[in-house]
Amino acid sequence: MVKSLEELKGYQIVGKHSAVKTCLWLKKSLKDQGYCYKQKFYGIASHRCLQMSPALICNFSCIHCWRPLNLMPPFENWDEPEYIFEESIKAQQRLLSGFHGTEGVNKKKLREAYEPNQVAISLIGEPTIYPKIAELVDIYNKNGFTTFLVTNGTNPDAVEEVEPYQLYLSITAWNEESHRRLQNAGLWDRIERTMKIMSEKDAKTVIRLTLIRGINMNPERFLDVINAAQPEYIEAKAYMHLGHSRLRLSRDAMPEHDEVKAFAERLAKLSGYEIKDESEISRVVLLER
């Protein structure tokens, strides 16, 4: 288990509780070797995406999570959103400075990457634990960023207040019992509130289903979740056998893309959603209402 912020390799720590990290697909995009499924599905530019978290802490301990567990205890002296916004861009630029002189880097893309216009608030931890998450998202919005916010749904008041361009509810369970077993936490009543709020949101909404072979790959189980949240999109995505999840799940728990696609096809027939796209390398299928 990670015991301090210093052990986070490749992360730029921002202030007291935030972090930035360049993702694999940004690096690939800079070398013209591909781009992430979000670019394929939603049109964002991978090389201009800032991946960050305003809270290096989570209230879950999900069996499938590759990330380290909590890095810090709860506290009250939170950084201001303006500071996090400004310093997150500087942190991204520091990370990008390492690509100068790297063989195969597209220089035009690298220059553009220094001016990110997309933020994925999903790096590590639960972002809605940061008490000023709505203000932070507003600042990114006002500065021309496309904002993607990923939440576990346990802070419905924050979900109601925040106005990202695209709001994700990331979920593995389908009811209270499975939630306790797979997320090692309660709070299912809060997630149900979040689903209702999502159904009334103006933002684009997404339910991301993390699929684990032998555990939750029965699409019928998720119909109540989908009907409650009424998302514009559903992402059916394979659990990936990486990082700390390897301590809890075997490699056999990671489904192949054809299994994810079969799940999505069955879910489409049951739910009335349509399959719109897929990314085989990321083992994810997109369904649209």
Side-chain angles (χ1 to χ4, degrees), residues 226-242:
I226 292 164
N227 290 334
Q230 290 292 304
E232 184 169 350
Y233 300 109
I234 302 168
E235 290 179 7
K237 192 173 189 307
Y239 153 71
M240 305 304 286
H241 190 62
L242 300 169

Side-chain angles (χ1 to χ4, degrees), residues 109-254:
K109 279 187 174 181
L110 183 57
R111 288 194 299 271
E112 291 173 347
Y114 271 77
E115 297 182 0
N117 63 359
Q118 151 75 21
V119 60
I121 307 175
S122 63
L123 173 60
I124 186 172
E126 169 50 39
T128 65
I129 290 176
Y130 176 55
K132 296 184 178 182
I133 184 63
E135 294 175 47
L136 179 62
V137 168
D138 284 346
I139 290 170
Y140 280 113
N141 288 338
K142 290 173 183 175
N143 282 275
F145 279 70
T146 304
T147 48
F148 283 21
L149 174 66
V150 181
T151 179
N152 63 25
T154 56
N155 193 346
D157 291 339
V159 172
E160 188 163 33
E161 185 181 2
V162 74
E163 294 296 340
Y165 174 79
Q166 191 151 301
L167 175 66
Y168 281 80
L169 174 61
S170 183
I171 199 162
T172 312
W174 56 93
N175 59 21
E176 185 171 6
E177 185 278 328
S178 61
H179 180 69
R180 287 185 181 277
R181 177 162 51 90
L182 300 177
Q183 270 72 46
N184 294 303
L187 309 178
W188 183 252
D189 59 326
R190 295 190 189 182
I191 295 171
E192 289 181 317
R193 279 185 58 206
T194 290
M195 289 188 284
K196 184 177 188 306
I197 291 166
M198 285 183 70
S199 72
E200 300 167 351
K201 274 282 184 185
D202 291 331
K204 294 179 181 292
T205 54
V206 186
I207 293 284
R208 177 188 289 161
L209 303 175
T210 301
L211 303 177
I212 308 171
R213 184 190 286 142
I215 291 179
N216 68 348
M217 296 193 67
N218 185 329
E220 288 85 354
R221 290 173 169 172
F222 290 103
L223 292 179
D224 287 344
V225 169
I226 292 164
N227 290 334
Q230 290 292 304
E232 184 169 350
Y233 300 109
I234 302 168
E235 290 179 7
K237 192 173 189 307
Y239 153 71
M240 305 304 286
H241 190 62
L242 300 169
H244 287 244
S245 76
R246 294 174 297 176
L247 303 174
R248 300 179 292 270
L249 291 170
S250 71
R251 189 172 183 83
D252 290 340
M254 181 171 62

Side-chain angles (χ1 to χ4, degrees), residues 39-150:
Q39 179 169 329
K40 189 172 191 280
F41 292 175
Y42 308 118
I44 66 99
S46 295
H47 69 289
R48 297 188 69 185
C49 183
L50 168 66
Q51 182 184 223
M52 65 85 64
S53 172
L56 294 172
I57 186 170
C58 191
N59 53 357
F60 280 2
S61 179
C62 303
I63 65 168
H64 66 277
C65 187
W66 59 267
R67 297 167 175 86
L69 299 179
N70 290 345
L71 305 180
M72 51 193 271
F75 63 103
E76 296 179 357
N77 296 317
W78 298 92
D79 293 328
E80 290 299 317
E82 293 85 357
Y83 172 85
I84 297 173
F85 167 73
E86 293 170 0
E87 293 300 317
S88 68
I89 295 174
K90 293 177 185 177
Q92 180 87 332
Q93 292 170 346
R94 288 194 296 272
L95 289 164
L96 289 167
S97 68
F99 290 93
H100 293 282
T102 301
E103 186 176 355
V105 167
N106 182 318
K107 302 298 184 183
K108 179 176 181 292
K109 279 187 174 181
L110 183 57
R111 288 194 299 271
E112 291 173 347
Y114 271 77
E115 297 182 0
N117 63 359
Q118 151 75 21
V119 60
I121 307 175
S122 63
L123 173 60
I124 186 172
E126 169 50 39
T128 65
I129 290 176
Y130 176 55
K132 296 184 178 182
I133 184 63
E135 294 175 47
L136 179 62
V137 168
D138 284 346
I139 290 170
Y140 280 113
N141 288 338
K142 290 173 183 175
N143 282 275
F145 279 70
T146 304
T147 48
F148 283 21
L149 174 66
V150 181

